[in-house]
Each structure stands twice: as structure tokens, then as C-alpha cells.
Amino acid sequence: MKKTFVTNMPDHIGAFLKASKCFSSLGINITRVSYNKAVDSHKLFIEVDGDMQTIEKAKESLAEIGYLQNDESSNIVLLQFRLQDHPGSVTAVLELISKFNFNISYISSQENGTEYQLFKMGLFVNSPISLSKFLDQARKLCDVDVIDYNQTEKVFDNGIFYNSYVDALTRLTNLSEDKKQSLLVNVNLAMQTLDEQGLSPYKTFESISKFAELLSAAKGENFKPRITQHTITDKTKITLIEPDCGSNTAIIESDGQRVFVDCGYACYKKEMLAIIKELVPDFSTKEETLLITHADVDHCGLINEFDKVVVSQNSAKCLTAESEGGASFREQNHLHLPYVNICKTLTEYAPISKEKLVSPWRAPISNAPIEQIGFYSVGELNFEVYEGKGGHLPGEIMLIDFEHRLSFTGDVFINLNDLTEKQAQYNQYAPILMTSVDTDAKLCSKERNALLQRLGAGEWSIFGGHGQKKLYRTVKEK
């Protein structure tokens, strides 16, 4: 098994050697190391591979030498004091800090041409109660603000960065405390992965912050997806729900039957269910079927709210692996792994109960970019089902109804030209944090071309995984 230790390493010669000896003495192999003094002078991330018993012994050894201080994040606070710019103005503040026995981990101040200086300090505090008492007394001396990463200069501290950064993300998204460690590890992994691709570490941190801000900003009363209805025939309509963040959800209602296509992020479950129940009042009383175009986190968030989930055989393998504690297809890609785990944490993703999965089609057998693997009907709609070779994600499917010139394409074909402003903002961060949203961009392009070549002459309605319905016109060759 693999385990990532987040160690608080002393900043002196031989510190890593000491940690390494803890693992080598137990026969544990180190599989990843990440340390960047410019980001955080103490945080050393060490991923190891070993059995559970020896990993537990290693944990004990690291704790004995003082490298594991799991409660440190709750003891760190960044404060900004607004002091008059004259000699000795900081003395009273320092005396108060000494009175409360707080250690100072970071100090930063610079004149700014005004009569005040903004004096930033990082303090290790004993308890929330002592901090509250300290702030009460400090505010009698000057204005004091509690600050975080997004309100300071980029390199605001090289000793408490990760904890402060993750604390800010946790507060922003209302995450539980037990999610912080996973977020901490994967934020570091994203930084290391993209740093090796030549991207600045702070570009990574900024992108994760913006991504989290967009997710949070679209919750509750601010969850206002674009909702449109599309009449296909007298007996068939499609309702398209497009959130600011995450995939579309399409509701197909045809001749008394109903099927949902994809279902967005889990963090919007409450908001989405309220909208769905308003659109289809009998949602809670009827057996509901969900069809998943591919097993990405942003398409599968509400997957457990449905009675039956229809997927390709490859998507079933992916979702089953997750339900059994294994790695999804994205997580098997080292470039995509940190982003996916950050998404899972920030959006509260929960794996499906695999008993709900239904795979009615055969697996692909050819090397073609897309291959017909079966059929699927909803009322008067009759789709040919095609599976791609995994250009976007293995297991991806596309549906084509030739009679009604209708297609559902997942993320193989999306309407980038008709995203809302907020959707466009959201969609710019995944390519940064994954280096590419596609597993193989060239292969995905071939799949997209093959799909469009399948469409006959006339005007087609294409429902992609993101963006509004695309009206696509083909002309019959002479």
C-alpha cells in the first residue's frame, strides 16, 4: 500500500537523511519526495510503499524524532497589525505576544508611503480561547486582521504556507476537518507535478484557489444553472440543465419513459435535486435511470441518487474500482491524479454502490476511433451507441438517433462557443491543473471527427457534456 507522510522537517543539514533512515531501516521504499523551501521551509512530503504494519512502525519512528505534528495546522494563525509608522510602535505588540507565550514563525513588514505600516506575523497559538483573548487585547493597541494566503503577497511565508493555504480552502468550501489531510497531500502533488512540467508553483496554487472559489460561489441561492427545454416531437422533449461548474444534466422524456444523462458535481446535490423535483415532480416516487457518458467526477456526482445507472463496460470497471477503494482511470494517470483527488475532496464525491451499475453493451473489439457497441431506446428515440478509444477517457460513449437527428456526445464534443461567462471561467482551470482534460488529445480529435462523419445530411441537435445544445448542419455529398 502507498502512504504519504506530511512531515514537519527541521531546516538543517541531514534532516532528510534522518527521515530516510526511518524508512530504510524498515525496508520501506520511498516512491515520491517533494520539498520546496521557497514555498514552505519545513513541509516535506514523503510517499512510501509498504505493508500496513511496517508503515505504522514508520509513523511511530517519525513521531519519535518530532517530524509528525498533526495538530500543527490548528495552532497556526496569520495576523496583520496596522501600526503607526514610527520607532517602537511594534514593541507593545511584541510584549503582548510574549505575555501569551506565542511563538512567532514569520514576520513581514514594509513602509508604504503612509503613516501606517501593515505588520504581518505568523503565530503558533495554544488554543482558540487564548487567541480570542489575545485579539481582544491586541485590538486595544491597533487594528488587527486575521489574514490568509489570498490576501497576501505570494511568498508571504516559507514555514507555514501549506497549512494556511489548505485552511483557507477548507473554510471557503466548508470542508470537514477529516478532509484537510487529503487536500494538503494533493495540493502538494499538483504543485510538484506541474512544476515538473515547467509551471510555476504559485500558478498551481492560484488555479486551485480560483477553482475552489468558483465551486463555492455557485452554491445555495447562487446556484442558477441555465435551463432550456427542447421539443423533439409531440411526445419527446429534452430538458438541459447547465450549472456554472460541472457537467450538464439532460432529462430525456419520451412517450412515457424518462432517462437522465450525466449528473454534475456532488457538492450541488441539494440544489440539483430541488430543481429536478420541480421539473419532474414524481422523481422521488418512480424508478429513475441515469446514463453516464463517461466516469469523470464532474459527470457522476449525483450517481447514488438513481436506482439504475447505465454505463459502458469500461466505465463500469472504472466506477467499480472506485467503489472497492481502487484507482479510477483518471487516478491511474499521474498528470490527472492530483486534480481528480482535489475535485473529489472539494466536491464531496462518493463512489457508487456497484450493484446499481448496468452495462447492456459489449466491449469494443476494433482499433477504430469510435465503434458501435449496441443500441439504446427511450420511448420513441432509438440510439446507436458508440464507444471511443479513450481519447477523453476510457469508457466514453456517444449516442446517435439518426431518425430524429439527435446526438449525446459527452465530452468528446462540447459546445465551447456557447458557454456562459461563468462556465467559461470554470472550464479554463481543469486544462491548467491536468495539463490537458483529455487522456490523449490527438485521439480525442480523431474520435470527434469520426463521430461527425457518422451524422447524415441535415440539421442535427448535439447535446455535449458542457455548453448549450449545438445545432450542427451537414450537407450531403454530390
Side-chain angles (χ1 to χ4, degrees):
M1 62 175 290
K2 288 189 176 181
K3 164 75 175 177
T4 299
F5 288 97
V6 183
T7 68
N8 297 293
M9 185 179 66
D11 187 16
H12 60 65
I13 296 171
F16 177 50
L17 174 62
K18 196 172 182 180
S20 179
K21 286 181 176 179
C22 287
F23 297 111
S24 62
S25 65
L26 294 167
I28 296 176
N29 185 41
I30 296 176
T31 56
R32 181 177 79 91
V33 177
S34 176
Y35 175 71
N36 189 329
K37 188 172 183 176
V39 175
D40 193 309
S41 63
H42 296 296
K43 279 288 182 288
L44 172 68
F45 295 79
I46 308 175
E47 181 186 84
V48 299
D49 193 359
D51 61 62
M52 186 178 299
Q53 185 176 4
T54 53
I55 285 179
E56 191 61 32
K57 289 181 180 178
K59 181 179 179 181
E60 294 172 1
S61 297
L62 289 173
E64 287 175 3
I65 62 175
Y67 281 26
L68 296 183
Q69 300 174 27
N70 293 327
D71 62 341
E72 181 187 21
S73 63
S74 63
N75 293 337
I76 297 170
V77 62
L78 292 174
L79 300 178
Q80 181 171 268
F81 301 87
R82 188 170 181 263
L83 301 173
Q84 289 190 345
D85 192 10
H86 60 69
S89 63
V90 74
T91 302
V93 173
L94 294 175
E95 288 176 344
L96 184 62
I97 291 172
S98 178
K99 176 183 175 182
F100 277 81
N101 295 315
F102 294 159
N103 288 325
I104 300 174
S105 68
Y106 160 67
I107 298 176
S108 176
S109 179
Q110 186 174 355
E111 64 179 2
N112 54 22
T114 71
E115 57 184 291
Y116 292 95
Q117 279 195 37
L118 298 180
F119 214 100
K120 302 185 181 81
M121 292 191 192
L123 303 181
F124 288 91
V125 302
N126 300 319
S127 71
I129 295 175
S130 62
L131 174 61
S132 178
K133 291 180 178 179
F134 171 80
L135 289 173
D136 286 342
Q137 295 188 37
R139 283 168 176 152
K140 294 177 182 178
L141 301 174
C142 62
D143 292 336
V144 184
D145 293 318
V146 179
I147 60 176
D148 61 32
Y149 164 76
N150 290 322
Q151 294 170 297
T152 65
E153 64 271 15
K154 286 186 175 180
V155 187
F156 70 89
D157 178 27
N158 68 347
I160 56 176
F161 174 83
Y162 281 109
N163 286 328
S164 300
Y165 179 79
V166 170
D167 279 346
L169 289 184
T170 301
R171 291 193 302 271
L172 178 66
T173 54
N174 294 318
L175 286 180
S176 59
E177 286 293 315
D178 62 344
K179 300 288 187 182
K180 287 175 62 174
Q181 186 74 0
S182 172
L183 190 57
L184 178 66
V185 170
N186 284 291
V187 163
N188 166 258
L189 181 56
M191 183 278 293
Q192 184 181 20
T193 300
L194 294 173
D195 182 50
E196 292 173 356
Q197 303 294 314
L199 194 64
S200 162
Y202 293 105
K203 179 68 172 177
T204 305
F205 298 132
E206 180 183 5
S207 296
I208 295 172
S209 293
K210 292 294 185 182
F211 179 76
E213 288 171 8
L214 290 170
L215 287 175
S216 179
K219 296 192 73 172
E221 62 182 17
N222 294 322
F223 186 77
K224 299 176 180 178
R226 179 167 59 182
I227 301 175
T228 53
Q229 291 196 336
H230 309 268
T231 300
I232 308 303
T233 71
D234 291 341
K235 297 181 179 180
T236 301
K237 70 174 182 178
I238 296 171
T239 303
L240 190 64
I241 305 172
E242 303 174 63
D244 293 341
C245 306
S247 80
N248 295 343
T249 295
I251 308 173
I252 304 174
E253 296 176 277
S254 180
D255 201 15
Q257 296 184 25
R258 182 165 65 222
V259 169
F260 291 72
V261 180
D262 294 333
C263 58
Y265 276 130
C267 58
Y268 302 128
K269 179 173 73 172
K270 179 180 177 181
E271 294 89 341
M272 278 292 293
L273 288 178
I275 290 173
I276 289 171
K277 289 175 182 178
E278 183 176 343
L279 293 170
V280 286
D282 59 346
F283 177 80
S284 300
T285 59
K286 292 185 64 177
E287 181 178 275
E288 298 293 348
T289 297
L290 172 68
L291 186 146
I292 293 294
T293 59
H294 61 287
D296 264 340
V297 176
D298 62 327
H299 289 250
C300 297
L302 274 66
I303 203 165
N304 286 299
E305 302 301 314
F306 293 84
D307 303 288
K308 182 170 67 173
V309 179
V310 180
V311 292
S312 68
Q313 289 190 28
N314 281 318
S315 288
K317 289 178 183 178
C318 178
L319 294 168
T320 298
E322 283 185 329
S323 72
E324 295 176 344
S328 68
F329 292 154
R330 289 284 186 202
E331 291 166 320
Q332 294 170 27
N333 183 329
H334 79 281
L335 293 176
H336 296 177
L337 171 63
Y339 170 78
V340 171
N341 283 337
I342 289 168
C343 273
K344 285 184 174 182
T345 302
L346 293 179
T347 64
E348 305 171 68
Y349 176 80
I352 189 175
S353 173
K354 60 184 179 181
E355 291 75 18
K356 292 185 176 183
L357 295 174
V358 178
S359 303
W361 313 297
R362 64 171 176 81
I365 56 176
S366 76
N367 289 320
I370 65 173
E371 177 182 344
Q372 186 186 345
I373 57 172
F375 302 89
Y376 190 73
S377 296
V378 185
E380 60 182 356
L381 301 181
N382 296 293
F383 295 101
E384 290 186 8
V385 181
Y386 292 81
E387 183 169 345
K389 294 297 291 182
H392 181 71
L393 185 70
E396 61 206 356
I397 59 171
M398 295 138 275
L399 290 80
I400 304 176
D401 181 322
F402 288 93
E403 179 182 354
H404 299 97
R405 295 190 179 90
L406 175 67
S407 182
F408 287 87
T409 58
D411 284 359
V412 172
F413 182 97
I414 63 176
N415 191 357
L416 288 173
N417 293 325
D418 198 4
L419 298 172
T420 67
E421 181 180 351
K422 291 181 179 179
Q423 288 168 352
Q425 290 176 358
Y426 160 80
N427 278 345
Q428 70 179 299
Y429 290 107
I432 294 172
L433 295 170
M434 300 170 75
T435 69
S436 171
V437 295
D438 296 321
T439 300
D440 183 332
K442 290 183 179 179
L443 177 56
C444 190
S445 178
K446 291 180 180 179
E447 293 173 0
R448 188 159 46 250
N449 291 334
L451 169 73
L452 296 177
Q453 289 173 11
R454 287 282 194 281
L455 307 183
E459 186 172 84
W460 285 76
S461 295
I462 301 179
F463 292 85
H466 302 266
Q468 182 58 278
K469 177 188 76 172
K470 172 73 173 180
L471 292 177
Y472 181 78
R473 183 176 296 277
T474 65
V475 179
K476 185 176 181 181
E477 293 184 5
K478 295 182 180 180

